[in-house]
Amino acid sequence: EGVLKALPGRFTELGDRESVGMTIRTLSAVYMDLGLLEPALDLNREALEIFDEVANRRYYFIALMECAEVYRKRREFDEALHIINRASEQLDLMEKTDEADYASLQFKYTRSQTLLDAGRSPEAIAGALETLMIAHEIKSKNIEAGCYGILALANARLGHIDEASRCIEEFTAIGESINDPYDYTAGLLNCGRAAMAFKRLDKAHERINEALRHAAEKGIKGIVLECHRT
């Protein structure tokens, strides 16, 4: 953190505004993992101004999505979805590349998770199914697993126990291939909440405790807090 805080000033001296923006965005991600949402949001807003100034559409999109993530974690879902819609407009402006395709996938995944958290289960299911199909095509196991977690909890809330159980099994089957600690713990937590929704309390506690342990080991304090709130 200390090293990152010093870098923007050094890049400013060199006249490298784009590197300033990237460093600020990286620092905001550190604060996000630590659960420090207000400084993360402030830094992302600063990064947005810089990326707009240097016309870096890709990083402007990323910073917007991270702003939406802050509002999602603050449970301000209308504002989160409003920002996600703004990010959609940025996708249309990005050059069509593999990076843009992955950004589109990440956009769909984040929107589905936000709809889930907002209690809009049918919309979350529709979004996660679309995202899952794309993730499977491009072999993104992290997002594929995350989608199964979303589908498990959304279906459980709607009383679709068999489908929720199937999605938990799918998540478990590919769990070892997930290399992103955030996606893994978020998926575990959703599966634990799904089991809790249909009263399988032993399985629920097992998965939530595993998510808590893994998040604590990786220093993902935001998910640690979510586990404690569950």
Side-chain angles (χ1 to χ4, degrees), residues 158-195:
L158 293 173
H160 305 159
I161 306 306
D162 290 344
E163 183 62 16
S165 298
R166 185 189 70 80
C167 291
I168 291 173
E169 290 173 3
E170 293 283 3
F171 175 86
T172 303
I174 60 176
E176 293 183 359
S177 64
I178 306 170
N179 57 27
D180 185 301
Y182 185 90
D183 288 336
Y184 180 65
T185 50
L188 269 176
L189 181 56
N190 278 337
C191 288
R193 287 169 169 168

Side-chain angles (χ1 to χ4, degrees), residues 74-93:
R74 283 169 37 170
R75 306 192 67 77
E76 297 178 35
F77 302 122
D78 287 344
E79 183 61 23
L81 288 166
H82 172 70
I83 293 172
I84 288 170
N85 288 336
R86 283 179 58 199
S88 175
E89 297 169 3
Q90 293 301 312
L91 278 176
D92 293 337
L93 298 174

Side-chain angles (χ1 to χ4, degrees), residues 1-217:
E1 180 185 351
V3 173
L4 286 170
K5 281 184 174 179
L7 286 176
R10 296 181 64 181
F11 285 128
T12 297
E13 291 173 4
L14 295 171
D16 188 349
R17 292 287 286 163
E18 188 165 73
S19 292
V20 172
M22 290 182 180
T23 304
I24 290 171
R25 195 206 66 79
T26 301
L27 183 57
S28 78
V30 172
Y31 284 148
M32 187 93 75
D33 283 347
L34 293 173
L36 302 172
L37 300 182
E38 289 304 320
L41 184 59
D42 289 341
L43 287 168
N44 264 312
R45 286 170 172 160
E46 187 177 348
L48 279 171
E49 291 182 5
I50 294 172
F51 294 138
D52 189 40
E53 174 190 324
V54 301
N56 188 323
R57 292 298 155 206
R58 177 169 177 262
Y59 276 91
Y60 189 90
F61 167 82
I62 291 171
L64 266 181
M65 293 301 289
E66 289 179 349
C67 286
E69 182 71 358
V70 170
Y71 282 107
R72 183 184 72 81
K73 289 182 176 182
R74 283 169 37 170
R75 306 192 67 77
E76 297 178 35
F77 302 122
D78 287 344
E79 183 61 23
L81 288 166
H82 172 70
I83 293 172
I84 288 170
N85 288 336
R86 283 179 58 199
S88 175
E89 297 169 3
Q90 293 301 312
L91 278 176
D92 293 337
L93 298 174
M94 288 169 62
E95 184 179 351
K96 301 305 178 186
T97 63
D98 289 345
E99 285 185 346
D101 288 343
Y102 188 80
S104 177
L105 179 65
Q106 188 67 50
F107 163 82
K108 294 176 187 296
Y109 174 58
T110 301
R111 185 174 185 275
S112 299
Q113 180 65 54
T114 305
L115 289 166
L116 176 73
D117 290 347
R120 294 161 61 172
S121 294
E123 292 171 84
I125 289 172
L129 286 172
E130 179 186 1
T131 309
L132 179 63
M133 181 175 64
I134 300 169
H136 183 71
E137 287 176 359
I138 69 172
K139 297 180 172 57
S140 174
K141 291 294 183 182
N142 293 333
I143 291 184
E144 191 175 338
C147 286
Y148 280 123
I150 292 170
L151 289 166
L153 180 51
N155 277 290
R157 286 174 172 170
L158 293 173
H160 305 159
I161 306 306
D162 290 344
E163 183 62 16
S165 298
R166 185 189 70 80
C167 291
I168 291 173
E169 290 173 3
E170 293 283 3
F171 175 86
T172 303
I174 60 176
E176 293 183 359
S177 64
I178 306 170
N179 57 27
D180 185 301
Y182 185 90
D183 288 336
Y184 180 65
T185 50
L188 269 176
L189 181 56
N190 278 337
C191 288
R193 287 169 169 168
M196 185 173 290
F198 50 80
K199 310 302 182 187
R200 295 182 184 171
L201 298 184
D202 288 345
K203 284 291 184 183
H205 291 148
E206 177 185 328
R207 292 180 186 281
I208 292 168
N209 286 334
E210 186 180 352
L212 176 59
R213 178 186 60 78
H214 198 268
E217 285 178 359

